[in-house]
Amino acid sequence: MATEVNSDRIIYPATEGYMSTHHDVLRRPRPETLAERSQWSSIRWAGHVAFVLAASVMLVLPLAGQERYDIVLRNGRVMDPETGLDAVRNVGIRGSVIAAISEEPLAGDAEINASGLVIAPGFIDLHAHGQSNRGNEFQARDGVTTALELEDGVPDVAAFLETRGAGSVLNYGTTISHMAARTWIMPHHAEAVARAEALLAEHDEYDEDRLLELYTAAAAGAYDSLSPDQMGALRERLDGGLSQGALGIGMAHQYYPGATHEEIFRVFQMAAEWQTPIFTHVREMSIAAMQEVIANAAATGAPLHIVHVNSSSLWNIGPVLDLIGSAQARGIDVTTEAYPYTAASTLLESAIFDVGWQDRLQISYGDLQWQDTGERLTAETFRKYREEGGVVIIHMMKPEWIEKALQTPFVMVASDGMPYAPGAHPRSAGTFSRFLGRYVREQRLMPLMDALARVTLMPAQRLEAVSPQMRRKGRVQVGSDADITVFDPARILDTATFEEDLSPSIGVTHVLVNGVFVVRDGDNVEGARPGRAVVGRNVVF
């Protein structure tokens, strides 16, 4: 007997022959005589009994030969932001794909009781600098299944994908770095470029020290401007990155003030021609910097994503959000993100801390915290550590600015997570649990379904045009990738602080990446490396 699957219920069709006979009997003309009516009652009663018996058989038979799945998540609250499904269901996973979502019981080689837990799409982080498996382990405990380096990008996309492809906890991907591309074409920085290319050729894991060396090389041309006749070489370098699988162009031009307004506009023209997005850290913390990139997007048609709108806007968060919302309402393809912390983090030697930083950021030395020691800086230690180089945490935002950003419906959540290190910014470990625990559950800034959309569906949709792979992520639907986060909505919370070393979030019970557990029963699964590359549609294999 065949079964027909319809949505989330299993429908058992009638046994051939029986139902037609049963309906023929029921459709006969009503008998007139007492004898005929008696005979009719007997036939009809027998028909009903036979129908019940047959139905009972049909309900039992399929269970005996029921399909089996590799993994079944039983009786969890499935929440899918795209369809709006919010109901208790059983989820069957076969291989790397969600194969069934059913009200009826499913059989699996491994069965997980998800009663009282939310079964959500795996969280997608558009902005993760911690591209190492150690960093991935903390993010997995925070519910992340895909962690992408889109703000800065990398100098060599092929080398990055090869290195991460050796075995990654989470799905990974990157943009091509505009900062690196412009330095790479400057002949007078050939020595720095050669050092970077030697590092890239090693194909070792992207640990903190290696990332710092690569950044230093890429930033060698930060204060140099390109001439118009160098635009062709820049174009070739960026196009090459896209052909290697880049998800767009990473344009963090606050870190390289030598980039003129014309250069930035020309790159927007290139992106529009290629229909690839630009992920930008704007020129400075000002409304004018936002206007620059939005005007370029409007003029060229290039897709635009503005990273960490909270730290790039500061006290201007209200008008900046109004500016972005108005641009969207007029059809401009612009999106943005925020992280749920009042402190930022970056390299102290970067251009952000050039002369005048106190006035630009409206903070002073005591608002800076040295990552390696946790100490607050003074004028003396500022000069010392800036010369040495390293990571600093910047306490420069107010809670109400963060709440304003997170309450805005079009703002996604992304971590801006730093490379793993003792004392690193807690956003590297707790962004998503903090958002869901403190801002959604405790402060009730929005319904849980809306919050999940900010960390699953919306990031996937931002990337779908450039990477068709993302159409299978950010959803709990049949046919979607089995990137799934199972969490306790009453417990999920961050534990990492600014005072201690990184610590994992709580309340994230299970995390699957491509159908493989990377977190099970609240702990990392040792040796699990199921992550796959997310690449742009322009990749040339």
Side-chain angles (χ1 to χ4, degrees):
M1 182 186 310
T3 61
E4 173 189 353
V5 177
N6 180 11
S7 183
D8 45 325
R9 291 198 305 276
I10 297 180
I11 300 173
Y12 303 98
T15 305
E16 186 176 356
Y18 168 71
M19 284 300 290
S20 59
T21 302
H22 183 61
H23 285 298
D24 286 345
V25 170
L26 296 179
R27 286 196 295 266
R28 288 177 183 174
R30 182 176 177 82
E32 298 298 332
T33 67
L34 181 61
E36 287 174 337
R37 285 198 296 271
S38 177
Q39 182 184 23
W40 165 256
S41 289
S42 297
I43 293 172
R44 186 172 59 178
W45 177 249
H48 281 306
V49 170
F51 175 74
V52 170
L53 290 172
S56 299
V57 171
M58 284 186 285
L59 288 172
V60 172
L61 282 178
L63 295 177
Q66 188 176 20
E67 284 190 274
R68 293 189 67 83
Y69 301 90
D70 298 326
I71 299 170
V72 169
L73 306 174
R74 293 192 288 108
N75 299 321
R77 179 186 174 189
V78 173
M79 298 187 70
D80 179 58
E82 185 169 60
T83 62
L85 176 64
D86 183 356
V88 174
R89 294 288 187 269
N90 300 292
V91 177
I93 297 164
R94 185 174 291 119
S96 62
V97 176
I98 297 173
I101 301 173
S102 174
E103 291 182 71
E104 306 299 331
L106 301 174
D109 295 336
E111 296 189 7
I112 300 296
N113 181 11
S115 297
L117 305 177
V118 170
I119 299 175
F123 306 158
I124 299 168
D125 191 352
L126 296 178
H127 191 164
H129 300 302
Q131 293 292 324
S132 70
N133 282 324
R134 183 61 176 138
N136 280 178
E137 288 170 355
F138 282 100
Q139 285 214 287
R141 294 284 290 276
D142 202 30
V144 175
T145 57
T146 300
L148 307 172
E149 168 57 276
L150 302 184
E151 178 203 31
D152 284 341
V154 298
D156 188 317
V157 175
F160 170 84
L161 295 177
E162 183 175 349
T163 299
R164 298 296 281 135
S168 176
V169 175
L170 305 180
N171 298 317
Y172 54 92
T174 185
T175 53
I176 176 67
S177 168
H178 173 228
M179 177 170 70
R182 63 195 307 278
T183 297
W184 255 242
I185 64 171
M186 297 175 180
H188 52 293
H189 292 302
E191 185 177 339
V193 170
R195 287 199 309 271
E197 289 183 337
L199 284 170
L200 289 166
E202 293 173 5
H203 301 308
D204 292 331
E205 190 172 4
Y206 275 71
D207 60 18
E208 184 186 37
D209 292 338
R210 187 176 187 217
L211 284 168
L212 182 59
E213 289 187 68
L214 286 172
Y215 173 84
T216 300
Y223 296 93
D224 298 328
S225 297
L226 294 182
S227 62
D229 61 3
Q230 289 178 299
M231 288 301 147
L234 179 64
R235 176 191 179 92
E236 183 177 348
R237 184 84 194 174
L238 295 174
D239 192 23
L242 295 174
S243 70
Q244 292 173 351
L247 294 167
I249 298 168
M251 181 187 280
H253 54 303
Q254 185 168 22
Y255 291 100
Y256 41 105
T260 64
H261 286 79
E262 179 183 357
E263 178 185 340
I264 298 301
F265 174 67
R266 297 303 179 199
V267 175
F268 269 81
Q269 286 182 315
M270 297 173 198
E273 180 183 339
W274 297 321
Q275 272 304 288
T276 196
I278 287 177
F279 296 84
T280 186
H281 174 143
V282 296
R283 186 179 297 277
E284 60 185 12
M285 285 82 162
S286 71
I287 298 174
M290 297 289 180
Q291 289 172 326
E292 177 192 14
V293 293
I294 292 173
N296 286 345
T300 64
L304 170 65
H305 182 82
I306 298 171
V307 303
H308 50 49
V309 69
N310 51 321
S311 59
S312 288
S313 301
L314 302 178
W315 53 89
N316 292 313
I317 189 68
V320 165
L321 290 170
D322 289 343
L323 176 64
I324 295 170
S326 296
Q328 289 181 341
R330 283 157 179 76
I332 298 172
D333 185 2
V334 54
T335 54
T336 193
E337 70 188 45
Y339 54 81
Y341 293 89
T342 55
S345 185
T346 194
L347 293 171
L348 188 58
E349 65 268 33
S350 72
I352 288 176
F353 292 103
D354 286 353
V355 173
W357 63 270
Q358 295 101 317
D359 291 334
R360 289 193 297 272
L361 304 181
Q362 295 188 14
I363 59 173
S364 192
Y365 299 108
D367 297 306
L368 305 181
Q369 179 181 354
W370 192 238
Q371 173 183 274
D372 292 348
T373 63
E375 68 186 288
R376 295 297 183 112
L377 300 191
T378 63
E380 181 181 356
T381 54
F382 175 88
R383 287 190 293 272
K384 173 188 174 185
Y385 290 137
R386 184 162 162 81
E387 184 175 344
E388 291 178 5
V391 177
V392 68
I393 296 169
I394 315 163
H395 296 273
M396 64 178 186
M397 289 172 277
K398 296 182 179 181
E400 54 265 35
W401 301 346
I402 306 302
E403 291 175 15
K404 176 70 174 176
L406 295 178
Q407 284 178 311
T408 304
F410 57 75
V411 175
M412 305 174 210
V413 173
S415 73
D416 195 7
M418 300 297 287
Y420 169 75
H425 193 303
R427 67 192 183 190
S428 304
T431 290
F432 298 91
S433 296
R434 181 179 182 84
F435 171 57
L436 294 175
R438 301 186 189 276
Y439 289 91
V440 179
R441 182 182 64 243
E442 295 177 2
Q443 297 188 32
R444 300 184 179 181
L445 291 190
M446 68 198 75
L448 180 56
M449 185 70 86
D450 292 350
L452 288 175
R454 312 282 190 91
V455 301
T456 61
L457 181 65
M458 290 167 63
Q461 290 175 330
R462 170 70 275 182
L463 292 171
E464 285 173 10
V466 70
S467 178
Q469 291 172 266
M470 297 305 292
R471 296 171 189 161
R472 303 192 304 272
K473 299 188 184 297
R475 289 108 165 148
V476 180
Q477 298 172 23
V478 173
S480 296
D481 291 342
D483 293 344
I484 297 174
T485 295
V486 182
F487 68 93
D488 185 344
R491 291 185 61 245
I492 189 168
L493 199 65
D494 61 312
T495 69
T497 69
F498 291 104
E499 291 73 37
E500 304 293 337
D501 290 345
L502 293 184
S503 57
S505 297
I506 60 173
V508 175
T509 311
H510 309 288
V511 177
L512 296 99
V513 174
N514 297 306
V516 176
F517 285 102
V518 296
V519 173
R520 188 163 184 175
D521 297 322
D523 288 322
N524 294 103
V525 177
E526 186 176 354
R529 299 289 186 268
R532 298 176 182 173
V534 177
V535 298
R537 68 177 188 283
N538 293 325
V539 64
V540 177
F541 292 105

